[in-house]
Amino acid sequence: MTRKLKPDRGIQGLVPAIASLLIFFFTAIVFGLKISFNVLGGIMIFYSFIFGFWSFIKSNNYYFLVSAFYLLAFGTILILLDLPNDFSGPKPKFSDEFKIGLLFFYFFMFWLMYIGYQKKLKYRGREVMELAAWDVEEAPDTYTERPRPAGVVDYSKYDIIDFGNQLKKTLVCMPFQEENRLLLVPIKMGDEFELLYKPSYNYLEKTWISFDFEGNVSVHISRKDYLDYKDDLSFDHLCESLGQLMITFADFYMRGDKVRIIDRLNSVKIGLFS
């Protein structure tokens, strides 16, 4: 499959790690080795809540709990590690509490690596947008901010809401329910920080697929996402394709074949961090 999107060169996901290392080295230089490990451990415990538990609360994706407990165990062993204040001091001591914490750390680390490889913690918006553009041809100057109709489905309101909740758990789209419709917003890796932590998140200005409770499907593609494609694509065709893709996913879900949704997304073969 030929990639239609520009390469993802964002470093948003690395910012917490870079900030942690900078704080660690600064603290080690100013206050010594022992305090720097304690500070780094505190940062890991803080991250376990804001990146792990909070992501679980927002998405209902239970795999985020693995990430949360991994960071919690990591922070705990860093704090329990009995280090001297510099390299010339005595060798570190390993208490029984530290050894128990280390076992939990390794357990959650290997579990996290396994689910990470399976893309259980990956936001799938990039795959959604790639699939939507797969057979869309170039056509310059066709973009418009107006939503476009994309089809009709014959599902009840509660079927549509259940479908949105499934896409939320699998990080395919984030649902936003209004009085007469449900909007599904594909979230790309790197864009989740705005979703998770911005109090005034404006989903209406994002790319969304709307399922109203009468069965009508419409699509809005943001200018930012449209310009993320390498070429100017036929906008009407792109909207129709994105809508039909989501209708196909809904059909999979209603038939009990929700694994097919993930199979289609995995067929794009995008990297773990894109």
Side-chain angles (χ1 to χ4, degrees):
M1 180 178 178
T2 303
R3 296 278 188 271
K4 294 293 184 75
L5 289 170
K6 298 172 184 175
D8 178 24
R9 296 190 175 92
I11 63 167
Q12 299 95 321
L14 297 176
V15 170
I18 294 171
S20 302
L21 288 174
L22 290 175
I23 294 171
F24 170 76
F25 287 121
F26 173 79
T27 310
I29 293 170
V30 176
F31 299 104
L33 203 58
K34 181 177 177 58
I35 292 178
S36 67
F37 272 89
N38 288 341
V39 169
L40 185 59
I43 292 172
M44 293 301 107
I45 292 173
F46 175 67
Y47 283 173
S48 76
F49 286 94
I50 67 167
F51 296 137
F53 292 114
W54 181 244
S55 295
F56 163 68
I57 291 170
K58 295 288 285 187
S59 69
N60 288 334
N61 182 323
Y62 288 93
Y63 292 108
F64 278 115
L65 292 178
V66 179
S67 174
F69 285 118
Y70 161 76
L71 290 168
L72 200 58
F74 188 21
T76 300
I77 63 172
L78 289 174
I79 292 172
L80 290 174
L81 187 60
D82 189 7
L83 286 173
N85 239 357
D86 55 56
F87 290 105
S88 61
K91 292 182 179 180
K93 298 176 182 178
F94 303 110
S95 65
D96 291 339
E97 291 84 0
F98 173 84
K99 293 174 183 177
I100 293 171
L102 196 61
L103 288 176
F104 279 102
F105 168 73
Y106 281 127
F107 173 75
F108 287 113
M109 181 183 71
F110 287 117
W111 193 359
L112 183 62
M113 290 170 61
Y114 175 70
I115 64 176
Y117 176 75
Q118 291 192 316
K119 301 183 178 180
K120 300 293 187 182
L121 298 177
K122 175 176 165 51
Y123 289 87
R124 310 306 292 266
R126 180 164 287 269
E127 286 95 327
V128 169
M129 301 308 288
E130 282 282 13
L131 284 171
W134 181 48
D135 61 349
V136 178
E137 302 298 329
E138 293 183 47
D141 300 323
T142 60
Y143 179 78
T144 173
E145 292 280 357
R146 296 191 304 275
R148 315 295 282 185
V152 178
V153 296
D154 186 22
Y155 301 126
S156 72
K157 170 182 176 179
Y158 299 103
D159 286 336
I160 293 169
I161 292 172
D162 287 345
F163 171 58
N165 287 333
Q166 174 62 26
L167 295 187
K168 178 171 71 170
K169 289 178 184 178
T170 51
L171 308 181
V172 178
C173 293
M174 186 61 64
F176 294 90
Q177 185 176 342
E178 298 181 346
E179 183 178 357
N180 298 313
R181 63 178 182 171
L182 185 77
L183 272 63
L184 302 172
V185 179
I187 306 295
K188 299 175 183 175
M189 289 294 289
D191 293 343
E192 74 273 19
F193 296 105
E194 181 184 6
L195 169 72
L196 292 172
Y197 308 115
K198 187 176 180 180
S200 56
Y201 183 78
N202 186 357
Y203 60 87
L204 290 175
E205 69 182 12
K206 309 299 180 183
T207 294
W208 46 257
I209 305 93
S210 167
F211 285 72
D212 74 24
F213 299 139
E214 299 297 322
N216 300 301
V217 180
S218 59
V219 171
H220 169 264
I221 296 178
S222 70
R223 180 174 293 277
K224 176 178 179 291
D225 281 335
Y226 184 73
L227 293 177
D228 201 25
Y229 289 108
K230 296 176 184 177
D231 304 303
D232 290 332
L233 302 179
S234 171
F235 188 71
D236 284 349
H237 190 186
L238 182 62
C239 288
E240 179 185 359
S241 179
L242 179 55
Q244 288 300 314
L245 175 68
M246 211 54 58
I247 290 172
T248 299
F249 285 175
D251 290 340
F252 284 152
Y253 177 74
M254 302 306 172
R255 296 200 309 259
D257 295 334
K258 58 187 178 183
V259 68
R260 298 298 182 199
I261 300 174
I262 303 302
D263 290 342
R264 287 287 303 276
L265 295 169
N266 287 342
S267 71
V268 184
K269 300 187 184 302
I270 286 179
L272 294 176
F273 305 104
S274 296

Short mmCIF file of all heavy atoms in Angstrom, two decimals, residues 163-208:
data_model
loop_
_atom_site.label_atom_id
_atom_site.label_comp_id
_atom_site.label_asym_id
_atom_site.label_seq_id
_atom_site.Cartn_x
_atom_site.Cartn_y
_atom_site.Cartn_z
N PHE A 163 -20.91 1.15 19.41
CA PHE A 163 -19.83 1.12 18.41
C PHE A 163 -18.78 2.18 18.73
O PHE A 163 -17.57 1.91 18.68
CB PHE A 163 -20.44 1.36 17.02
CG PHE A 163 -19.43 1.57 15.93
CD1 PHE A 163 -18.46 0.61 15.65
CD2 PHE A 163 -19.47 2.73 15.16
CE1 PHE A 163 -17.54 0.82 14.62
CE2 PHE A 163 -18.55 2.94 14.15
CZ PHE A 163 -17.58 1.98 13.88
N GLY A 164 -19.22 3.38 19.08
CA GLY A 164 -18.29 4.45 19.45
C GLY A 164 -17.45 4.08 20.66
O GLY A 164 -16.25 4.36 20.71
N ASN A 165 -18.07 3.43 21.65
CA ASN A 165 -17.33 3.01 22.84
C ASN A 165 -16.28 1.96 22.50
O ASN A 165 -15.19 1.94 23.09
CB ASN A 165 -18.29 2.47 23.90
CG ASN A 165 -19.10 3.57 24.55
OD1 ASN A 165 -18.66 4.71 24.62
ND2 ASN A 165 -20.30 3.24 25.02
N GLN A 166 -16.60 1.08 21.54
CA GLN A 166 -15.62 0.07 21.12
C GLN A 166 -14.42 0.73 20.44
O GLN A 166 -13.27 0.37 20.71
CB GLN A 166 -16.28 -0.92 20.16
CG GLN A 166 -15.31 -1.93 19.53
CD GLN A 166 -14.64 -2.83 20.55
OE1 GLN A 166 -15.18 -3.07 21.63
NE2 GLN A 166 -13.47 -3.34 20.22
N LEU A 167 -14.68 1.73 19.59
CA LEU A 167 -13.58 2.43 18.93
C LEU A 167 -12.74 3.21 19.93
O LEU A 167 -11.53 3.37 19.75
CB LEU A 167 -14.12 3.37 17.85
CG LEU A 167 -14.83 2.73 16.66
CD1 LEU A 167 -15.14 3.79 15.61
CD2 LEU A 167 -14.00 1.60 16.04
N LYS A 168 -13.38 3.69 21.01
CA LYS A 168 -12.63 4.39 22.05
C LYS A 168 -11.69 3.43 22.77
O LYS A 168 -10.52 3.76 23.00
CB LYS A 168 -13.60 5.04 23.03
CG LYS A 168 -12.90 5.76 24.19
CD LYS A 168 -13.88 6.58 25.02
CE LYS A 168 -14.79 5.71 25.84
NZ LYS A 168 -15.57 6.51 26.83
N LYS A 169 -12.18 2.26 23.13
CA LYS A 169 -11.36 1.29 23.86
C LYS A 169 -10.16 0.83 23.04
O LYS A 169 -9.09 0.55 23.60
CB LYS A 169 -12.20 0.07 24.24
CG LYS A 169 -13.23 0.33 25.32
CD LYS A 169 -14.05 -0.92 25.59
CE LYS A 169 -15.14 -0.66 26.61
NZ LYS A 169 -15.98 -1.87 26.84
N THR A 170 -10.33 0.73 21.74
CA THR A 170 -9.24 0.25 20.87
C THR A 170 -8.43 1.40 20.29
O THR A 170 -7.56 1.19 19.44
CB THR A 170 -9.80 -0.62 19.75
OG1 THR A 170 -10.87 0.06 19.08
CG2 THR A 170 -10.33 -1.94 20.30
N LEU A 171 -8.72 2.65 20.72
CA LEU A 171 -7.95 3.84 20.35
C LEU A 171 -8.02 4.13 18.86
O LEU A 171 -7.10 4.72 18.29
CB LEU A 171 -6.49 3.70 20.80
CG LEU A 171 -6.26 3.34 22.27
CD1 LEU A 171 -4.77 3.26 22.58
CD2 LEU A 171 -6.94 4.33 23.19
N VAL A 172 -9.12 3.73 18.22
CA VAL A 172 -9.32 4.02 16.80
C VAL A 172 -9.88 5.44 16.64
O VAL A 172 -9.39 6.22 15.83
CB VAL A 172 -10.27 2.99 16.16
CG1 VAL A 172 -10.52 3.33 14.69
CG2 VAL A 172 -9.70 1.59 16.29
N CYS A 173 -10.92 5.76 17.39
CA CYS A 173 -11.53 7.09 17.38
C CYS A 173 -11.99 7.42 18.79
O CYS A 173 -12.29 6.52 19.58
CB CYS A 173 -12.75 7.14 16.44
SG CYS A 173 -12.39 6.95 14.68
N MET A 174 -12.10 8.70 19.07
CA MET A 174 -12.68 9.14 20.33
C MET A 174 -14.10 9.63 20.05
O MET A 174 -14.29 10.52 19.22
CB MET A 174 -11.84 10.25 20.95
CG MET A 174 -12.30 10.67 22.33
SD MET A 174 -12.23 9.35 23.57
CE MET A 174 -10.46 9.03 23.63
N PRO A 175 -15.12 9.04 20.71
CA PRO A 175 -16.50 9.45 20.44
C PRO A 175 -16.91 10.67 21.28
O PRO A 175 -16.52 10.80 22.44
CB PRO A 175 -17.30 8.21 20.85
CG PRO A 175 -16.48 7.58 21.93
CD PRO A 175 -15.03 7.89 21.62
N PHE A 176 -17.72 11.53 20.67
CA PHE A 176 -18.30 12.67 21.37
C PHE A 176 -19.80 12.67 21.06
O PHE A 176 -20.19 12.86 19.91
CB PHE A 176 -17.65 13.97 20.92
CG PHE A 176 -16.20 14.08 21.30
CD1 PHE A 176 -15.21 13.63 20.43
CD2 PHE A 176 -15.81 14.62 22.51
CE1 PHE A 176 -13.87 13.71 20.76
CE2 PHE A 176 -14.48 14.72 22.86
CZ PHE A 176 -13.51 14.26 21.99
N GLN A 177 -20.60 12.47 22.09
CA GLN A 177 -22.03 12.35 21.89
C GLN A 177 -22.72 13.70 22.03
O GLN A 177 -22.51 14.43 23.01
CB GLN A 177 -22.64 11.35 22.88
CG GLN A 177 -24.12 11.10 22.65
CD GLN A 177 -24.67 10.02 23.58
OE1 GLN A 177 -23.92 9.24 24.16
NE2 GLN A 177 -25.99 9.99 23.72
N GLU A 178 -23.53 14.05 21.04
CA GLU A 178 -24.38 15.23 21.09
C GLU A 178 -25.83 14.78 21.19
O GLU A 178 -26.11 13.58 21.25
CB GLU A 178 -24.12 16.10 19.87
CG GLU A 178 -22.69 16.62 19.80
CD GLU A 178 -22.44 17.51 18.58
OE1 GLU A 178 -23.28 17.50 17.65
OE2 GLU A 178 -21.40 18.19 18.55
N GLU A 179 -26.74 15.71 21.15
CA GLU A 179 -28.15 15.38 21.36
C GLU A 179 -28.67 14.42 20.30
O GLU A 179 -29.40 13.47 20.61
CB GLU A 179 -28.98 16.65 21.37
CG GLU A 179 -30.46 16.41 21.65
CD GLU A 179 -31.27 17.68 21.70
OE1 GLU A 179 -30.67 18.77 21.56
OE2 GLU A 179 -32.50 17.60 21.85
N ASN A 180 -28.29 14.65 19.04
CA ASN A 180 -28.88 13.88 17.94
C ASN A 180 -27.86 13.07 17.14
O ASN A 180 -28.22 12.48 16.11
CB ASN A 180 -29.61 14.82 16.98
CG ASN A 180 -30.77 15.54 17.66
OD1 ASN A 180 -31.57 14.90 18.35
ND2 ASN A 180 -30.83 16.85 17.49
N ARG A 181 -26.62 13.04 17.60
CA ARG A 181 -25.60 12.33 16.82
C ARG A 181 -24.41 11.98 17.68
O ARG A 181 -24.23 12.50 18.79
CB ARG A 181 -25.16 13.18 15.63
CG ARG A 181 -24.49 14.50 16.02
CD ARG A 181 -24.03 15.28 14.82
NE ARG A 181 -23.34 16.51 15.21
CZ ARG A 181 -22.68 17.30 14.38
NH1 ARG A 181 -22.62 17.00 13.09
NH2 ARG A 181 -22.07 18.40 14.81
N LEU A 182 -23.58 11.11 17.11
CA LEU A 182 -22.30 10.73 17.73
C LEU A 182 -21.20 11.08 16.74
O LEU A 182 -21.25 10.67 15.57
CB LEU A 182 -22.28 9.23 18.04
CG LEU A 182 -21.04 8.74 18.79
CD1 LEU A 182 -21.14 9.11 20.27
CD2 LEU A 182 -20.88 7.23 18.66
N LEU A 183 -20.21 11.82 17.20
CA LEU A 183 -19.06 12.17 16.36
C LEU A 183 -17.88 11.31 16.75
O LEU A 183 -17.55 11.19 17.94
CB LEU A 183 -18.70 13.65 16.52
CG LEU A 183 -19.43 14.63 15.60
CD1 LEU A 183 -20.92 14.63 15.89
CD2 LEU A 183 -18.87 16.04 15.77
N LEU A 184 -17.21 10.74 15.75
CA LEU A 184 -16.03 9.89 15.95
C LEU A 184 -14.82 10.63 15.43
O LEU A 184 -14.74 10.95 14.24
CB LEU A 184 -16.21 8.56 15.23
CG LEU A 184 -17.44 7.74 15.64
CD1 LEU A 184 -17.60 6.53 14.71
CD2 LEU A 184 -17.32 7.28 17.08
N VAL A 185 -13.87 10.92 16.31
CA VAL A 185 -12.68 11.70 15.95
C VAL A 185 -11.46 10.78 15.94
O VAL A 185 -11.05 10.28 16.99
CB VAL A 185 -12.46 12.85 16.96
CG1 VAL A 185 -11.19 13.63 16.60
CG2 VAL A 185 -13.67 13.76 17.01
N PRO A 186 -10.87 10.51 14.76
CA PRO A 186 -9.63 9.71 14.73
C PRO A 186 -8.49 10.48 15.39
O PRO A 186 -8.29 11.67 15.11
CB PRO A 186 -9.37 9.50 13.22
CG PRO A 186 -10.66 9.87 12.54
CD PRO A 186 -11.31 10.89 13.41
N ILE A 187 -7.75 9.81 16.26
CA ILE A 187 -6.66 10.45 16.99
C ILE A 187 -5.33 9.83 16.55
O ILE A 187 -5.11 8.64 16.69
CB ILE A 187 -6.82 10.27 18.51
CG1 ILE A 187 -8.19 10.75 18.98
CG2 ILE A 187 -5.70 11.00 19.25
CD1 ILE A 187 -8.44 12.22 18.82
N LYS A 188 -4.45 10.66 15.99
CA LYS A 188 -3.13 10.18 15.60
C LYS A 188 -2.19 10.21 16.80
O LYS A 188 -2.38 10.98 17.73
CB LYS A 188 -2.55 11.07 14.48
CG LYS A 188 -3.36 11.08 13.20
CD LYS A 188 -2.77 12.07 12.20
CE LYS A 188 -3.59 12.16 10.94
NZ LYS A 188 -3.09 13.22 10.02
N MET A 189 -1.16 9.36 16.75
CA MET A 189 -0.13 9.39 17.78
C MET A 189 0.50 10.78 17.83
O MET A 189 0.85 11.36 16.79
CB MET A 189 0.94 8.34 17.50
CG MET A 189 0.48 6.91 17.69
SD MET A 189 0.11 6.49 19.41
CE MET A 189 1.74 6.46 20.14
N GLY A 190 0.62 11.32 19.00
CA GLY A 190 1.13 12.67 19.18
C GLY A 190 0.02 13.68 19.41
O GLY A 190 0.21 14.68 20.09
N ASP A 191 -1.17 13.40 18.82
CA ASP A 191 -2.30 14.30 19.00
C ASP A 191 -3.08 13.98 20.27
O ASP A 191 -3.98 14.74 20.66
CB ASP A 191 -3.24 14.22 17.80
CG ASP A 191 -2.62 14.78 16.53
OD1 ASP A 191 -1.61 15.50 16.64
OD2 ASP A 191 -3.14 14.49 15.44
N GLU A 192 -2.75 12.85 20.90
CA GLU A 192 -3.52 12.45 22.08
C GLU A 192 -3.29 13.38 23.28
O GLU A 192 -4.13 13.46 24.18
CB GLU A 192 -3.20 11.00 22.48
CG GLU A 192 -1.85 10.78 23.14
CD GLU A 192 -0.73 10.53 22.13
OE1 GLU A 192 -0.91 10.88 20.96
OE2 GLU A 192 0.33 10.01 22.55
N PHE A 193 -2.15 14.09 23.29
CA PHE A 193 -1.87 14.96 24.44
C PHE A 193 -2.88 16.11 24.53
O PHE A 193 -3.34 16.46 25.62
CB PHE A 193 -0.44 15.50 24.35
CG PHE A 193 0.61 14.44 24.43
CD1 PHE A 193 1.30 14.03 23.31
CD2 PHE A 193 0.87 13.81 25.64
CE1 PHE A 193 2.26 13.02 23.38
CE2 PHE A 193 1.83 12.81 25.72
CZ PHE A 193 2.52 12.41 24.59
N GLU A 194 -3.22 16.67 23.38
CA GLU A 194 -4.25 17.72 23.38
C GLU A 194 -5.59 17.16 23.84
O GLU A 194 -6.30 17.77 24.63
CB GLU A 194 -4.39 18.32 21.98
CG GLU A 194 -5.41 19.44 21.91
CD GLU A 194 -5.63 19.97 20.50
OE1 GLU A 194 -5.05 19.40 19.55
OE2 GLU A 194 -6.38 20.95 20.36
N LEU A 195 -5.93 15.97 23.36
CA LEU A 195 -7.19 15.33 23.75
C LEU A 195 -7.24 15.06 25.25
O LEU A 195 -8.25 15.32 25.91
CB LEU A 195 -7.35 14.01 22.98
CG LEU A 195 -8.47 13.09 23.44
CD1 LEU A 195 -9.83 13.66 23.06
CD2 LEU A 195 -8.30 11.69 22.87
N LEU A 196 -6.13 14.56 25.80
CA LEU A 196 -6.12 14.13 27.20
C LEU A 196 -6.03 15.28 28.18
O LEU A 196 -6.60 15.23 29.27
CB LEU A 196 -4.95 13.17 27.43
CG LEU A 196 -5.04 11.81 26.74
CD1 LEU A 196 -3.72 11.06 26.89
CD2 LEU A 196 -6.19 10.98 27.29
N TYR A 197 -5.30 16.34 27.81
CA TYR A 197 -4.94 17.33 28.81
C TYR A 197 -5.43 18.75 28.54
O TYR A 197 -5.29 19.61 29.41
CB TYR A 197 -3.41 17.35 28.98
CG TYR A 197 -2.85 15.98 29.24
CD1 TYR A 197 -2.00 15.35 28.33
CD2 TYR A 197 -3.21 15.26 30.39
CE1 TYR A 197 -1.52 14.08 28.55
CE2 TYR A 197 -2.73 13.99 30.61
CZ TYR A 197 -1.88 13.40 29.70
OH TYR A 197 -1.40 12.14 29.91
N LYS A 198 -5.99 19.00 27.37
CA LYS A 198 -6.49 20.34 27.09
C LYS A 198 -7.93 20.46 27.57
O LYS A 198 -8.82 19.75 27.06
CB LYS A 198 -6.42 20.65 25.59
CG LYS A 198 -6.76 22.08 25.25
CD LYS A 198 -6.58 22.35 23.76
CE LYS A 198 -6.93 23.80 23.42
NZ LYS A 198 -6.75 24.07 21.97
N PRO A 199 -8.21 21.33 28.54
CA PRO A 199 -9.57 21.41 29.10
C PRO A 199 -10.63 21.79 28.07
O PRO A 199 -11.75 21.30 28.11
CB PRO A 199 -9.44 22.48 30.20
CG PRO A 199 -7.97 22.56 30.49
CD PRO A 199 -7.27 22.23 29.21
N SER A 200 -10.28 22.67 27.14
CA SER A 200 -11.25 23.16 26.16
C SER A 200 -11.02 22.50 24.80
O SER A 200 -10.92 23.18 23.78
CB SER A 200 -11.16 24.68 26.04
OG SER A 200 -9.82 25.07 25.69
N TYR A 201 -10.94 21.18 24.78
CA TYR A 201 -10.70 20.45 23.53
C TYR A 201 -11.89 20.65 22.59
O TYR A 201 -13.02 20.30 22.90
CB TYR A 201 -10.50 18.97 23.83
CG TYR A 201 -10.17 18.14 22.61
CD1 TYR A 201 -8.89 18.16 22.09
CD2 TYR A 201 -11.13 17.34 21.99
CE1 TYR A 201 -8.56 17.40 20.98
CE2 TYR A 201 -10.82 16.57 20.89
CZ TYR A 201 -9.53 16.61 20.38
OH TYR A 201 -9.22 15.85 19.27
N ASN A 202 -11.62 21.24 21.43
CA ASN A 202 -12.67 21.54 20.46
C ASN A 202 -12.70 20.45 19.39
O ASN A 202 -12.00 20.54 18.38
CB ASN A 202 -12.43 22.91 19.84
CG ASN A 202 -13.57 23.35 18.93
OD1 ASN A 202 -14.54 22.60 18.72
ND2 ASN A 202 -13.48 24.55 18.39
N TYR A 203 -13.51 19.42 19.61
CA TYR A 203 -13.55 18.31 18.67
C TYR A 203 -14.20 18.69 17.34
O TYR A 203 -13.95 18.04 16.32
CB TYR A 203 -14.29 17.12 19.30
CG TYR A 203 -15.72 17.39 19.71
CD1 TYR A 203 -16.76 17.24 18.81
CD2 TYR A 203 -16.02 17.78 21.01
CE1 TYR A 203 -18.07 17.49 19.19
CE2 TYR A 203 -17.32 18.02 21.39
CZ TYR A 203 -18.35 17.88 20.48
OH TYR A 203 -19.65 18.11 20.85
N LEU A 204 -15.00 19.75 17.33
CA LEU A 204 -15.69 20.12 16.09
C LEU A 204 -14.73 20.64 15.02
O LEU A 204 -15.03 20.59 13.83
CB LEU A 204 -16.76 21.18 16.38
CG LEU A 204 -17.98 20.68 17.17
CD1 LEU A 204 -18.89 21.85 17.51
CD2 LEU A 204 -18.74 19.63 16.38
N GLU A 205 -13.57 21.15 15.44
CA GLU A 205 -12.61 21.65 14.46
C GLU A 205 -11.66 20.55 13.97
O GLU A 205 -10.85 20.79 13.09
CB GLU A 205 -11.81 22.81 15.04
CG GLU A 205 -10.85 22.41 16.15
CD GLU A 205 -10.09 23.56 16.76
OE1 GLU A 205 -10.45 24.73 16.48
OE2 GLU A 205 -9.13 23.30 17.50
N LYS A 206 -11.81 19.35 14.52
CA LYS A 206 -10.98 18.22 14.12
C LYS A 206 -11.66 17.45 12.98
O LYS A 206 -12.78 17.76 12.58
CB LYS A 206 -10.75 17.28 15.30
CG LYS A 206 -10.26 17.95 16.57
CD LYS A 206 -8.94 18.65 16.38
CE LYS A 206 -8.46 19.31 17.67
NZ LYS A 206 -7.20 20.07 17.49
N THR A 207 -10.97 16.46 12.48
CA THR A 207 -11.59 15.52 11.55
C THR A 207 -12.57 14.64 12.32
O THR A 207 -12.22 14.11 13.38
CB THR A 207 -10.52 14.64 10.87
OG1 THR A 207 -9.70 15.48 10.04
CG2 THR A 207 -11.15 13.56 10.01
N TRP A 208 -13.80 14.49 11.80
CA TRP A 208 -14.76 13.64 12.48
C TRP A 208 -15.69 12.97 11.48
O TRP A 208 -15.89 13.44 10.36
CB TRP A 208 -15.57 14.39 13.54
CG TRP A 208 -16.15 15.73 13.15
CD1 TRP A 208 -15.68 16.96 13.51
CD2 TRP A 208 -17.35 15.98 12.38
NE1 TRP A 208 -16.48 17.96 13.00
CE2 TRP A 208 -17.52 17.38 12.32
CE3 TRP A 208 -18.28 15.18 11.74
CZ2 TRP A 208 -18.57 17.99 11.62
CZ3 TRP A 208 -19.34 15.76 11.04
CH2 TRP A 208 -19.48 17.15 11.00
#
